[in-house]
């Protein structure tokens, strides 16, 4: 996500659930995170609309390519257009609409991590 407040809130929530959270605001942050070869993400949460015209699907693709494997991903967005839903589906990403309900997020995460 490109919003520091959202990142902070998400980190707090996920940490309460026992997750090892790495935060990224842009593609450069993702590169820094992925420079740690020992870090193996189990799941990606990505905002759909990021800064400078970047979309979350690009972030997901970067992480998957860097680790050379499919990593489950959830795109989070307020955008309810069919084009966004199609983009998520065609890139093997789940889609959650804002505002995200914690129980819904947790259930989807648990499902994807099975």
């Amino acid at each position: 996500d490109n919003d520091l407040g959202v990142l902070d809130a998400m980190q707090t929530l996920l940490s309460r659930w026992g997750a090892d959270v790495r935060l990224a605001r842009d593609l450069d942050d993702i590169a820094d995170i992925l420079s740690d070869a020992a870090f193996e993400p189990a799941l990606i949460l990505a905002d759909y609309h990021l800064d400078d015209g970047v979309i979350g699907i690009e972030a997901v693709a970067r992480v998957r390519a860097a680790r050379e494997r499919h990593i489950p991903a959830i795109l989070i967005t307020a955008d309810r257009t069919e084009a966004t839903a199609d983009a998520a589906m065609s890139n093997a990403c789940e889609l959650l609409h804002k505002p995200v309900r914690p129980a819904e997020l947790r259930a989807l995460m648990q499902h994807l991590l099975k």
Side-chain angles (χ1 to χ4, degrees), residues 4 38 44 61 65 69 71 98 102 113:
L4 290 176
I44 304 164
R69 66 182 177 87
I71 300 167
K98 294 177 182 179
L113 292 171

Side-chain angles (χ1 to χ4, degrees), residues 34-56:
L34 294 173
S35 68
D36 177 0
F39 177 64
E40 284 297 328
L43 180 69
I44 304 164
L45 300 178
D47 189 15
Y48 188 78
H49 293 285
L50 301 172
D51 290 336
D52 302 320
V54 175
I55 60 171

Side-chain angles (χ1 to χ4, degrees), residues 66-82:
R67 292 304 186 252
E68 299 179 335
R69 66 182 177 87
H70 176 81
I71 300 167
I74 301 171
L75 291 174
I76 300 172
T77 185
D79 184 338
R80 296 180 183 272
T81 64
E82 188 174 329

Side-chain angles (χ1 to χ4, degrees), residues 11-104:
Q11 181 175 29
T12 299
L13 178 66
L14 297 174
S15 294
R16 277 192 218 143
W17 295 343
D20 175 12
V21 180
R22 309 293 170 98
L23 301 176
R25 289 182 53 206
D26 55 32
L27 297 177
D28 290 336
D29 287 350
I30 290 170
D32 290 343
I33 291 167
L34 294 173
S35 68
D36 177 0
F39 177 64
E40 284 297 328
L43 180 69
I44 304 164
L45 300 178
D47 189 15
Y48 188 78
H49 293 285
L50 301 172
D51 290 336
D52 302 320
V54 175
I55 60 171
I57 290 171
E58 293 175 59
V60 171
R62 291 259 178 114
V63 176
R64 287 173 173 170
R67 292 304 186 252
E68 299 179 335
R69 66 182 177 87
H70 176 81
I71 300 167
I74 301 171
L75 291 174
I76 300 172
T77 185
D79 184 338
R80 296 180 183 272
T81 64
E82 188 174 329
T84 298
D86 290 346
M89 184 181 299
S90 66
N91 287 279
C93 296
E94 297 294 326
L95 188 64
L96 281 181
H97 291 106
K98 294 177 182 179
V100 173
R101 294 186 317 254
E104 183 180 18

